Amino acid sequence: MEYNFREIEKKWQKRWVENKTYQVTEDETKKKFYVLNMFPYPSGAGLHVGHPLGYIASDIYARYKRLQGFNVLNPMGYDAYGLPAEQYAIQTGQHPAITTVNNINRYREQLDKIGFSFDWNREIRTCEPEYYHWTQWAFQKMFNSYYCNDEKQARPIQELIEAFSQTGTEGINVACSEELSFTAAEWNAKSEKEQQEILMNYRIAYLGETMVNWCPQLGTVLANDEVVDGVSERGGFPVIQKKMRQWCLRVSAYAQRLLDGLDTIDWTESLKETQKNWIGRSEGAEIEFKVKDSDLEFTIFTTRADTMFGVTFMVLAPESELVQQLTTDTQKDEVNAYLERTKKRTERERIADRSVTGVFSGSYAINPFTGEAVPIWISDYVLAGYGTGAIMAVPAHDSRDYAFAKHFGLEIRPLVEGCDVSEESFDAKEGIVCNSPREGVTPYCDLSLNGLTIKEAIAATKKYVKEHNLGRVKVNFRLRDAIFSRQRYWGEPFPVYYKDNMPYMIDESALPLELPEVAKFLPTETGEPPLGHAAKWAWNTVNKCVVENEKIDNITVFPLELNTMPGFAGSSAYYLRYMDPHNNQALVDKKTDEYWHNVDLYVGGTEHATGHLIYSRFWNKFLYDLGISVAEEPFQKLVNQGMIQGRSNFVYRIKDTNTFVSLNLKDQYDTTPLHVDVNIVSNDVLDLEAFKAWRPEYETAEFILEDGKYICGWAVEKMSKSMFNVVNPDMIVDKYGADTLRMYEMFLGPVEQSKPWDTNGIDGVHRFIKKFWSLFYDRNDNYLVTDEPATKEELKSLHKLIKKVTGDIEQFSYNTSISAFMICVNELFGMKCSKKEILNQFIIVLAPFAPHVCEELWETLGNAGSVCDAKWPVCNEEYLVEDTVNYTVSFNGKARFNMEFPADAASDAIQTAVLADERSEKWMEGKSIVKVIVVPKKIVNIVVK
Ligand code: ANZ
């Protein structure tokens, strides 16, 4: 029988569905294992061969764990809200829901062909109300929570309200946007609206005034990476910095826990490092500075409190509220002109740009240590959102302050008098180098830092600051709160209505609040988000339902929120929903959650290092505080799969002709290289007829061939439509079968590495499967398998394989496993081994990689049930023990020949046999033996004289 992969794969894919082979339940008798892929955004282009790489890798692991007896959860779903569908809708009028469903169907069809062990019964789509119900629900919980720094967890906002009404802000230690201070009497005297405004300062989901990249023409806020050189990436429209009231999530409250959690999870060091830098913990001090001739004072954040003596000016971020207060009349025009200019720059540009700009405010600040007055400047190298948005500048020891001082001719004062302050002596990291340890330093007030290292000096200064009430010790994080509003249509609606301009949550029992229909997917004429076009988008608080806008009376019917949630909303807790996807009472049932606990293996791309992987860790910690999630970290082990690059092919057209010359002859002509569709090239040989049919202009193409073939050039590039190097997995499946595709993707190289897709080797993998098949059936369809007992050699070959593959899978080293399969098949083939005892085990080990052919052969061997439920074989080391040892026989240290001995042969017997061997005679002739040394299992050395 031929290896007919088309029939086999169809048969088993159908059987798996009929038998519900991949449906999983919470089986308490088994240990669980949760495998998860980062779920895809279903784009219009469908899958290319790069997409399934991670899914195949995790599928192999999932199948392997199941064979080891684990109850494996391996779900799949779709991150279905997002910008491309919305933009397509704007261009074509096609509703994003329709495009999304079409794309999902196409993805599903493609995925089904590859033979994954997904439990499709648990599929989720983030755009479906049953799913986003729980996204909205979590948002409401965040709105109704604050973060207690003492207890290090989220608590109900009600507790805070009670504390305010009894003791005001006295003694509270909570995460907030701004430090506020009021008494209980003051709180109780406030109106409801005033109280609500104050609570925004503490809620975990809050409306905050934030600086955003605003694009007036597009009518939306843009993310940093959607802005290039001050204009929108799409359309090239100007983008300005604008303060807007947006929903935010207080991710910053969790900064320390996000940092600490990294020590408890099994992620790569580089990914942990990226997250650490993103969180950016920084220990320093906040110090108060009074403004000269004024009642005003302001706070700066510094990590170098020890440099107070070197402060020669202060700098405020342009957005700082102090700017207006501190600018003197004479400086007003200059300052305003500067502010106009900086508005146009995004924060990222400001960080990247090292050119020096700034303006003097006209005011001076008093150094609290020295009493000296120093000028206050405004410059955009100080960022509004970090620290306090104000700094003390120490140009002798900070490179940006140094550049600023040089540019504006301000004083540069080193901590050690007489120190060289030329540019050359400046070490960007350490500052001016001669400051450690300090000598001859003027004491600050009564604080002497003489003889101290930088670290000691910082500690001494901090202590002094605290004792003298000049400020406080402070830990800052670079991690910002997440902006959670988008002016888009295709996203989760906020379950929020507005009364007197303040947000209120709709009743939890009324969730989900479904996305309304709109006439247009664009912003409204008055600049409101697309939901502003919805005619029925008001909340009736009595009947708890959505009603027409004209019913708004602001008494019982109120307008609903027009923003929608961002892309990361739906992907932040999806792993929890897979555990219990059909539950309409809760995000996840507690017992079910306790069973699955968290994701044991998460596979996905590194591009999510600082987005999704921070947000979902935050979201999970919040749910953990609420007692919903049972594990503090959602993803125990994380593997990042590499990218599959495209391998492009080129043809060479002779200039001004329609003649194409083969690669190795092209230098004889003046040619232009052109990309050619890789799907009409095989092993770099162009299919001439297919080429002519590819495009009308090539219909009359002529060719100059070499050896009767047209050889194409090639290069490794990004896999993209424009390079014609996109390989569709469907094509590979049609031609070679899913098992070959799966094995070939893994054979390309280590999972974590990026590598080019190169179809040239695929035949080899396909031949391997055929050869494996031929151990079962010969060419004449004879069934070869026998019940004869296996020989030692055959068992050795098999157990070598079991050992290797088990070890490799544990380390995701699948490419080396595949080599091991090939070696073993060759060995068995050489031994003409078609014994059931061997093949049965081989099938189990191969099944995670090539599930279809293994199911078929498993059945052929007469096994009942699916191979998925077989038992992973254990390597028996006894079979690996060598029976004989090959000894090297040396004379006077020179190796002369080899001899085989049984592994347990005694040294005496070996010595006797070696000396008796006729080959020894030659080397001993006429000489006498001084000594014979037998090193067991290695060598025999004979010393002669
Ligand atoms: C005085 C000083 C002297 C500083 C010196 C550094 C070196 P990290 O580690 O990133 O926390 N800084 C504070 N707030 C800032 C802001 N909003 N925008 C730009 N820079 C800001 O760095 C903290 C240091 O960066 C602070 O310590 C402050 O400069 C500056 F030899 O204060 B330093």
Side-chain angles (χ1 to χ4, degrees):
M1 218 189 325
E2 274 263 299
Y3 165 49
N4 187 339
F5 59 83
R6 288 196 186 87
E7 265 177 31
I8 294 171
E9 294 184 356
K10 226 174 42 221
K11 167 179 160 186
W12 285 99
Q13 285 168 10
K14 192 159 159 264
R15 198 68 83 81
W16 290 330
V17 175
E18 286 164 3
N19 294 347
K20 303 191 166 77
T21 309
Y22 302 125
Q23 263 188 37
V24 51
T25 54
E26 290 68 44
D27 181 350
E28 298 283 351
T29 63
K30 283 187 185 167
K31 269 174 77 180
K32 68 92 193 191
F33 197 89
Y34 186 177
V35 175
L36 185 65
N37 292 287
M38 290 186 185
F39 64 168
Y41 173 79
S43 82
L47 292 175
H48 65 56
V49 287
H51 297 120
L53 183 88
Y55 308 158
I56 297 171
S58 59
D59 193 56
I60 292 172
Y61 206 82
R63 288 171 178 276
Y64 161 73
K65 279 288 177 186
R66 177 166 173 177
L67 288 164
Q68 285 200 324
F70 287 86
N71 189 28
V72 178
L73 177 57
N74 184 23
M76 189 40 113
Y78 304 97
D79 188 11
Y81 270 138
L83 204 51
E86 176 156 343
Q87 244 132 20
Y88 190 72
I90 293 169
Q91 285 156 19
T92 64
Q94 174 94 283
H95 197 288
I98 298 174
T99 4
T100 303
V101 169
N102 288 345
N103 294 347
I104 285 178
N105 291 341
R106 167 111 183 80
Y107 263 57
R108 176 64 192 273
E109 216 177 278
Q110 287 187 294
L111 290 171
D112 277 348
K113 285 188 185 167
I114 306 177
F116 292 112
S117 60
F118 297 136
D119 179 358
W120 283 110
N121 204 26
R122 293 176 182 255
E123 183 201 283
I124 53 166
R125 300 177 181 190
T126 54
C127 66
E128 285 184 348
E130 304 78 71
Y131 179 84
Y132 65 67
H133 181 157
W134 303 105
T135 312
Q136 293 177 333
W137 172 86
F139 169 80
Q140 290 199 337
K141 294 281 175 218
M142 290 182 195
F143 180 81
N144 287 318
S145 303
Y146 74 101
Y147 192 86
C148 175
N149 289 333
D150 288 333
E151 294 189 41
K152 297 193 175 59
Q153 61 164 219
R155 307 285 315 163
I157 195 88
Q158 204 53 40
E159 287 182 4
L160 194 62
I161 296 172
E162 272 154 37
F164 285 164
S165 66
Q166 278 160 26
T167 45
T169 50
E170 183 67 40
I172 61 164
N173 180 15
V174 301
C176 58
S177 307
E178 203 187 326
E179 295 286 347
L180 300 177
S181 153
F182 49 80
T183 63
E186 282 166 337
W187 168 261
N188 293 327
K190 287 189 198 298
S191 68
E192 185 196 330
K193 185 171 179 182
E194 284 166 339
Q195 289 186 344
Q196 287 300 326
E197 265 160 9
I198 289 174
L199 290 174
M200 276 301 172
N201 191 45
Y202 303 98
R203 294 182 190 275
I204 290 185
Y206 64 95
L207 268 181
E209 292 279 338
T210 52
M211 273 296 169
V212 294
N213 304 313
W214 174 252
C215 178
Q217 270 90 340
L218 291 177
T220 188
V221 166
L222 297 173
N224 279 336
D225 52 348
E226 293 169 321
V227 184
V228 179
D229 298 332
V231 298
S232 63
E233 198 187 14
R234 278 180 175 270
F237 301 117
V239 174
I240 56 162
Q241 296 297 296
K242 187 174 159 184
K243 238 186 186 165
M244 265 178 77
R245 209 170 170 222
Q246 302 269 296
W247 283 108
C248 302
L249 303 184
R250 207 175 294 283
V251 181
S252 60
Y254 284 81
Q256 188 63 48
R257 279 170 66 189
L258 287 167
L259 202 59
D260 295 342
L262 292 173
D263 293 333
T264 67
I265 51 183
D266 184 10
W267 293 13
T268 61
E269 279 312 311
S270 74
L271 187 49
K272 285 188 187 178
E273 205 47 44
T274 308
Q275 289 218 335
K276 274 184 198 158
N277 290 335
W278 188 257
I279 297 165
R281 187 179 198 275
S282 172
E283 280 181 27
E286 281 185 354
I287 299 174
E288 309 284 347
F289 279 71
K290 287 196 166 53
V291 178
K292 191 179 167 209
D293 303 330
S294 154
D295 293 338
L296 290 169
E297 50 178 25
F298 64 98
T299 311
I300 60 94
F301 173 69
T302 177
T303 45
R304 290 289 307 274
D306 65 308
T307 60
M308 288 299 286
F309 182 73
V311 176
T312 54
F313 58 100
M314 314 293 288
V315 190
L316 305 176
E319 297 83 356
S320 167
E321 278 164 14
L322 288 162
V323 169
Q324 293 309 331
Q325 297 167 5
L326 295 185
T327 301
T328 57
D329 288 343
T330 48
Q331 288 300 100
K332 230 169 201 116
D333 291 346
E334 220 183 308
V335 168
N336 283 340
Y338 182 69
L339 298 185
E340 260 322 295
R341 254 180 68 200
T342 53
K343 244 191 195 168
K344 297 200 180 83
R345 308 201 327 153
T346 65
E347 187 162 294
R348 187 183 285 198
E349 284 170 338
R350 284 165 55 171
I351 295 171
D353 186 6
R354 291 233 147 203
S355 64
V356 179
T357 65
V359 59
F360 176 46
S361 71
S363 293
Y364 291 81
I366 308 289
N367 184 327
F369 279 58
T370 62
E372 186 188 7
V374 290
I376 304 171
W377 285 69
I378 298 154
S379 170
D380 69 2
Y381 80 91
V382 175
L383 307 173
Y386 187 67
T388 61
I391 66 156
M392 60 183 214
V394 186
H397 300 278
D398 179 280
S399 58
R400 303 202 69 172
D401 298 346
Y402 183 83
F404 195 86
K406 275 275 177 203
H407 189 86
F408 290 106
L410 299 165
E411 189 196 347
I412 297 167
R413 187 193 303 162
L415 296 176
V416 178
E417 257 171 281
C419 183
D420 172 18
V421 290
S422 66
E423 197 137 4
E424 296 74 55
S425 70
F426 201 91
D427 176 295
K429 209 159 153 235
E430 296 286 334
I432 298 282
V433 198
C434 63
N435 62 354
S436 165
R438 269 149 232 234
E439 290 304 338
V441 186
T442 315
Y444 307 151
C445 320
D446 51 347
L447 171 72
S448 169
L449 302 176
N450 270 323
L452 301 184
T453 63
I454 296 182
K455 222 171 145 192
E456 290 162 349
I458 292 174
T461 322
K462 274 191 189 165
K463 192 160 161 264
Y464 187 90
V465 165
K466 223 168 124 189
E467 284 167 4
H468 291 77
N469 230 353
L470 302 173
R472 63 201 71 83
V473 171
K474 171 91 186 181
V475 175
N476 254 327
F477 292 93
R478 210 154 277 277
L479 184 70
R480 308 287 172 82
D481 288 347
I483 298 178
F484 201 60
S485 295
R486 296 291 182 272
Q487 293 69 43
R488 311 253 204 242
Y489 174 68
W490 195 230
E492 298 84 349
F494 283 91
V496 171
Y497 66 89
Y498 284 87
K499 183 170 133 188
D500 197 11
N501 210 22
M502 285 308 288
Y504 288 82
M505 297 295 120
I506 71 167
D507 239 62
E508 191 178 317
S509 63
L511 294 178
L513 176 68
E514 293 197 26
L515 186 65
E517 289 307 321
V518 291
K520 267 196 215 157
F521 303 109
L522 286 167
T524 66
E525 284 68 40
T526 50
E528 283 173 336
L531 291 193
H533 286 296
K536 192 178 170 189
W537 196 237
W539 189 249
N540 182 323
T541 51
V542 179
N543 298 336
K544 295 176 187 161
C545 63
V546 178
V547 295
E548 286 73 20
N549 296 359
E550 59 253 27
K551 300 207 173 120
I552 294 174
D553 58 10
N554 290 312
I555 301 165
T556 56
V557 179
F558 300 94
L560 281 159
E561 168 74 60
L562 300 181
N563 288 297
T564 55
M565 296 185 193
F568 70 82
S571 56
S572 285
Y574 74 117
Y575 54 89
L576 285 172
R577 192 64 184 161
Y578 279 134
M579 297 177 182
D580 197 7
H582 310 297
N583 190 339
N584 55 19
Q585 301 301 311
L587 164 63
V588 53
D589 168 71
K590 185 88 186 174
K591 247 187 103 194
T592 309
D593 190 15
E594 268 161 14
Y595 181 73
W596 293 114
H597 199 72
N598 65 357
V599 175
D600 295 282
L601 171 67
Y602 196 28
V603 178
T606 39
E607 66 275 20
H608 301 292
T610 52
H612 162 61
L613 288 174
I614 290 274
Y615 297 130
S616 54
R617 291 183 62 221
F618 151 75
W619 199 289
N620 187 73
K621 282 179 194 296
F622 171 73
L623 294 177
Y624 176 80
D625 290 350
L626 259 55
I628 305 290
S629 176
V630 296
E632 174 140 23
E633 284 295 333
F635 313 120
Q636 201 53 43
K637 180 177 174 72
L638 188 127
V639 170
N640 292 121
Q641 88 273 16
M643 290 256 289
I644 294 228
Q645 295 145 323
R647 187 177 184 280
S648 311
N649 275 117
F650 301 96
V651 290
Y652 303 92
R653 182 161 64 189
I654 300 174
K655 283 226 166 99
D656 306 321
T657 71
N658 208 13
T659 302
F660 296 82
V661 53
S662 186
L663 175 69
N664 299 305
L665 303 174
K666 78 172 172 32
D667 292 344
Q668 301 167 23
Y669 304 87
D670 184 7
T671 60
T672 319
L674 298 167
H675 276 96
V676 59
D677 186 350
V678 292
N679 295 296
I680 57 172
V681 178
S682 169
N683 288 345
D684 290 335
V685 177
L686 181 67
D687 177 336
L688 301 181
E689 289 314 309
F691 182 71
K692 285 181 175 183
W694 183 40
R695 295 233 161 134
E697 68 260 39
Y698 299 147
E699 213 178 305
T700 57
E702 292 182 22
F703 304 95
I704 300 174
L705 307 177
E706 48 183 312
D707 298 333
K709 290 181 197 157
Y710 188 97
I711 312 285
C712 297
W714 62 274
V716 170
E717 295 172 309
K718 184 174 176 254
M719 194 169 272
S720 110
K721 267 185 171 173
S722 62
M723 316 258 190
F724 299 105
N725 60 6
V726 173
V727 182
N728 185 329
D730 300 2
M731 273 201 29
I732 307 280
V733 170
D734 282 347
K735 201 161 165 202
Y736 298 97
D739 287 336
T740 299
L741 172 77
R742 292 171 61 103
M743 290 196 80
Y744 189 58
E745 291 231 358
M746 297 301 103
F747 193 48
L748 283 173
V751 175
E752 296 92 339
Q753 234 169 55
S754 288
K755 56 236 158 189
W757 177 263
D758 178 355
T759 322
N760 292 351
I762 201 160
D763 289 310
V765 171
H766 191 60
R767 271 199 305 274
F768 153 76
I769 301 181
K770 279 177 147 169
K771 197 161 185 180
F772 179 55
W773 183 267
S774 72
L775 292 173
F776 296 74
Y777 294 101
D778 73 8
R779 274 194 208 147
N780 305 318
D781 262 8
N782 295 314
Y783 183 57
L784 304 173
V785 182
T786 69
D787 284 329
E788 273 175 63
T791 65
K792 271 203 123 174
E793 276 309 294
E794 290 161 350
L795 283 166
K796 184 170 153 195
S797 185
L798 174 71
H799 283 260
K800 237 176 28 192
L801 178 75
I802 295 169
K803 185 173 181 176
K804 175 92 181 106
V805 174
T806 310
D808 283 354
I809 292 185
E810 290 290 355
Q811 295 179 36
F812 301 91
S813 180
Y814 299 143
N815 55 325
T816 53
S817 287
I818 292 170
S819 308
F821 285 126
M822 292 175 170
I823 292 169
C824 186
V825 159
N826 284 340
E827 286 174 0
L828 296 177
F829 204 78
M831 295 184 272
K832 296 205 173 12
C833 170
S834 291
K835 293 174 183 159
K836 187 170 169 184
E837 187 185 346
I838 300 290
L839 295 179
N840 231 350
Q841 306 270 291
F842 194 124
I843 291 175
I844 301 171
V845 184
L846 182 63
F849 296 80
H852 307 85
V853 68
C854 289
E855 286 278 27
E856 181 68 18
L857 293 170
W858 184 249
E859 189 183 58
T860 305
L861 292 188
N863 294 297
S866 164
V867 69
C868 295
D869 294 314
K871 196 162 172 283
W872 187 260
V874 180
C875 164
N876 185 342
E877 293 282 346
E878 273 177 31
Y879 295 127
L880 305 187
V881 176
E882 301 285 340
D883 292 343
T884 57
V885 179
N886 199 358
Y887 280 81
T888 304
V889 180
S890 307
F891 290 86
N892 288 348
K894 278 216 168 104
R896 296 301 180 189
F897 58 89
N898 291 330
M899 277 181 85
E900 287 268 315
F901 289 102
D904 54 359
S907 296
D908 286 359
I910 294 174
Q911 180 173 335
T912 315
V914 168
L915 295 179
D917 194 278
E918 58 187 28
R919 285 171 294 183
S920 296
E921 274 171 30
K922 180 175 162 200
W923 304 106
M924 297 193 298
E925 221 167 27
K927 293 179 180 150
S928 56
I929 298 169
V930 180
K931 206 163 45 169
V932 180
I933 306 153
V934 178
V935 182
K937 303 209 159 131
K938 287 207 174 80
I939 55 161
V940 181
N941 188 24
I942 300 153
V943 184
V944 289
K945 210 162 69 178

